[in-house]
Amino acid sequence: MTRGQALAGALSSLAIVAPLAGPVAPPLRPPAGPPRGGMLHVVMPWAAVPDNFNPLAPGGAGATAGGTGSVLYEPLMYDNVLTGDLTPMLATAYAWSNGGRTLTIDVRQGVRWSDGRPLSAADVAFTFNYLHEHPALDVQGDWRAPLQSVKAVNASTVVLQYSQPDTVVLPMVLGQLVVPQHIWAHVASPTTFTNPHPVGSGPFLLRSWDSNQVVYTRNPHYWQHDRPYLNGVTMSAVKSNDTAQLLVLDGQASYTYDAITDPVHTYVAAHPAWNRFWWPVTALNLLYMNTQTGPFADLTLRRALAMVVDDNLLSQRAYYGAIPGAGGLGLTGVVPSQQAEWVPGPLASLLPPKGPAAARRLLVSKGYRYVHGLLAAPGGKVLPTLGILVGAGWTDFVSIAQALSGELATIGVRSVIDQQPWASYYSSAQDGHFDLLVSWSNGNGPSPYYEYYYLLGSAGPAQPGAPENTDYERFSSPYVDSLLANFASTTDPVQQRADMAGVEKTVLEQWPFIALTGRPSFFDYSTRYFTGWPDAADPYNAGEPPGSFDGGAEQVYLNVHLS
């Protein structure tokens, strides 16, 4: 049974409350009594570490210090998108009742906040209601339209009441980080609060911060009393992927999230006894086109660009073929592992002809013209030089952008690569300050719904200049909104597949984005000093980045120990 089937089944027959629904992984995994101690050194191409430990920050992991959502604060459960397993964290069980309109969550007992105060169901209910009070914090969309109320009915039980069944809500609800009511009830401006003295439930405590490195030390009162095995974790910011790779190569760090160039020959071969990488494909790299302002507001230009993008070339340039391109039906934005189940074959008829000649014919047929070899808009001037926004030092994205720049040139469009440090890159993406953006898809889950929900802006895009958390291309379609809403309200698999097919068809007709390559988890590590890492044989997480907010990175810090 797949996770999607388990969730749908849980909703289809819930006249009575059942025990824990969905597959659940055991919370404690390594062998008993592994060696304790050691500081795990993590290095990331962040350029700088933000002085912000707010787990509810609107910018999520990108706006906060690494570790905020992976060592200080915890979710209710960790949802492994590779295996479909749920690992109980601050919640021990959930159950649906009332025909799928009532979700009851059992909150773990015996957990204490790092200041010694007990954690209870009141903290969980407060967190959800706090998001409702401050909608800018509700990045995951917990307060979707069907959710009516969240209440703690006793110290160990929280009840979420919905006006109608919502078959897709579990990953969002269970993945929510929880904050202490006795601290956050006094925070009047949570969107700007930097939380300088974080009080969390996680396995580590904040010891020190500077713009280059944040240091965490073991929480002696953590609720998993035999965890963590580590004494602490350091997370250092460097300027590029190459720098991160070198630090792991020479033993100064043991863990990074890095698209290493030609990893077999440049990384593993350097020290085959201990250098490892595990890159499970869980998402896609996308080219976001600003559909709200600028030349890509025109569908014709978006379609022409889709015609000249060569995903196989991008795969070779960025990943030496280690990661597949996203061509064919992958252009719908559906990840490879879900295409057979969710993308009907006849949609292939909507795929455009490929190549610069076909793209130029399309442009001319729609009124574009060429002036000295450069593309001019219908009735207008030559298109200005366009920027391709990427993260500074992200070698895979830089390579993709270089290839894209060459492909734009084949249809007479000039471009430059705009490398920005992480903070400004993320801000520019959210605020729509770009022409073209190379980035990743958001919202992995058991069906394409989750990526589409976050990607296509079911609430409609913000006004120009206003931030968008995930709908970077700022596309809006009432038709897509209706399909997503219908998918979430039914347990009928035939209807759900029809809804997804409608969204996929819209993507291939409107081109709000262009899928480029598969997006793996770039999980790179060394067994020189530490062991207990996840891999293909033991995928206890999905290879998430060290600072992820979904609970995946926390599983690493709880399981890794001295060799």
Side-chain angles (χ1 to χ4, degrees), residues 9-31:
L11 279 164
S12 64
S13 59
L14 290 173
I16 57 174
V17 176
L20 181 64
V24 177
L28 305 178
R29 305 185 64 101

Side-chain angles (χ1 to χ4, degrees), residues 273-533:
W274 55 70
N275 284 356
R276 304 283 187 275
F277 74 97
W278 179 47
W279 291 3
V281 174
T282 57
L284 295 171
N285 285 325
L286 303 178
L287 180 63
Y288 292 85
M289 298 169 284
N290 194 328
T291 67
Q292 200 170 53
T293 60
F296 291 102
D298 180 36
L299 170 60
T300 297
L301 187 58
R302 299 199 302 269
R303 183 176 176 85
L305 183 51
M307 295 167 71
V308 298
V309 168
D310 183 344
D311 62 300
N312 290 321
L313 173 65
L314 302 182
S315 170
Q316 289 295 328
R317 292 280 183 88
Y319 306 119
Y320 287 73
I323 303 301
L329 291 177
L331 291 173
T332 59
V334 177
V335 296
S337 61
Q338 296 177 357
Q339 289 175 21
E341 181 179 2
W342 289 100
V343 183
L347 286 182
S349 64
L350 297 178
L351 294 172
K354 299 293 285 186
R360 292 168 77 100
R361 285 195 297 270
L362 169 69
L363 290 164
V364 171
S365 73
K366 297 297 184 179
Y368 284 82
R369 59 194 178 91
Y370 283 91
V371 179
H372 303 300
L374 297 176
L375 186 65
K381 299 179 180 179
V382 168
L383 268 60
T385 299
L386 304 178
I388 306 174
L389 177 61
V390 297
W394 298 359
T395 51
D396 59 334
F397 279 12
V398 172
S399 296
I400 287 173
Q402 290 170 340
L404 289 171
S405 185
E407 290 166 340
L408 283 165
T410 66
I411 55 172
V413 177
R414 299 165 297 182
S415 60
V416 295
I417 299 171
D418 181 13
Q419 295 192 51
Q420 295 186 15
W422 165 248
S424 61
Y425 166 86
Y426 193 68
S427 175
S428 295
Q430 287 189 311
D431 293 342
H433 294 156
F434 64 87
D435 299 311
L436 296 165
L437 165 71
V438 179
S439 194
W440 44 81
S441 57
N442 294 283
N444 300 345
S447 75
Y449 170 89
Y450 297 91
E451 292 209 28
Y452 285 141
Y453 176 78
Y454 290 106
L455 180 61
L456 299 181
S458 61
Q463 293 301 308
E468 273 287 357
N469 289 317
T470 57
D471 180 18
Y472 303 143
E473 81 293 339
R474 296 168 175 258
F475 177 78
S476 180
S477 166
Y479 175 61
V480 169
D481 294 347
S482 67
L483 292 171
L484 294 174
N486 193 57
F487 181 100
S489 65
T490 181
T491 60
D492 180 359
V494 174
Q495 182 60 55
Q496 288 186 326
R497 285 180 176 80
D499 293 331
M500 283 300 95
V503 178
E504 293 153 4
K505 182 174 183 288
T506 301
V507 170
L508 294 180
E509 291 175 338
Q510 296 296 318
W511 297 103
F513 58 84
I514 301 173
L516 303 176
T517 71
R519 171 105 186 150
S521 294
F522 298 106
F523 195 92
D524 312 312
Y525 61 100
S526 170
T527 61
R528 186 175 188 178
Y529 306 115
F530 297 94
T531 190
W533 303 96

Side-chain angles (χ1 to χ4, degrees), residues 148-367:
Q148 293 181 310
S149 66
V150 182
K151 297 179 180 179
V153 297
N154 55 47
S156 62
T157 308
V158 172
V159 174
L160 289 76
Q161 189 64 50
Y162 294 83
S163 61
Q164 64 185 41
D166 194 350
T167 67
V168 297
V169 74
L170 275 174
M172 304 171 194
V173 170
L174 298 179
Q176 178 60 52
L177 298 178
V178 178
V179 298
Q181 180 177 8
H182 66 277
I183 301 291
W184 287 80
H186 305 291
V187 177
S189 301
T191 58
T192 58
F193 179 53
T194 60
N195 196 24
H197 306 289
V199 173
S201 64
F204 294 91
L205 309 173
L206 175 63
R207 188 170 79 184
S208 64
W209 168 90
D210 64 42
S211 61
N212 297 314
Q213 185 181 80
V214 60
V215 180
Y216 300 99
T217 187
R218 188 176 189 274
N219 179 358
H221 305 297
Y222 184 56
W223 57 270
Q224 293 192 48
H225 300 301
D226 62 340
R227 307 296 181 93
Y229 305 119
L230 302 167
N231 283 341
V233 176
T234 69
M235 296 190 186
S236 300
V238 296
K239 293 183 178 180
S240 72
N241 288 350
D242 289 340
T243 304
Q245 177 184 339
L246 289 172
L247 290 171
V248 177
L249 276 171
D250 68 10
Q252 295 186 53
S254 296
Y255 175 22
T256 188
Y257 188 86
D258 182 354
I260 297 172
T261 302
D262 198 3
V264 172
H265 296 99
T266 63
Y267 176 61
V268 174
H271 297 291
W274 55 70
N275 284 356
R276 304 283 187 275
F277 74 97
W278 179 47
W279 291 3
V281 174
T282 57
L284 295 171
N285 285 325
L286 303 178
L287 180 63
Y288 292 85
M289 298 169 284
N290 194 328
T291 67
Q292 200 170 53
T293 60
F296 291 102
D298 180 36
L299 170 60
T300 297
L301 187 58
R302 299 199 302 269
R303 183 176 176 85
L305 183 51
M307 295 167 71
V308 298
V309 168
D310 183 344
D311 62 300
N312 290 321
L313 173 65
L314 302 182
S315 170
Q316 289 295 328
R317 292 280 183 88
Y319 306 119
Y320 287 73
I323 303 301
L329 291 177
L331 291 173
T332 59
V334 177
V335 296
S337 61
Q338 296 177 357
Q339 289 175 21
E341 181 179 2
W342 289 100
V343 183
L347 286 182
S349 64
L350 297 178
L351 294 172
K354 299 293 285 186
R360 292 168 77 100
R361 285 195 297 270
L362 169 69
L363 290 164
V364 171
S365 73
K366 297 297 184 179

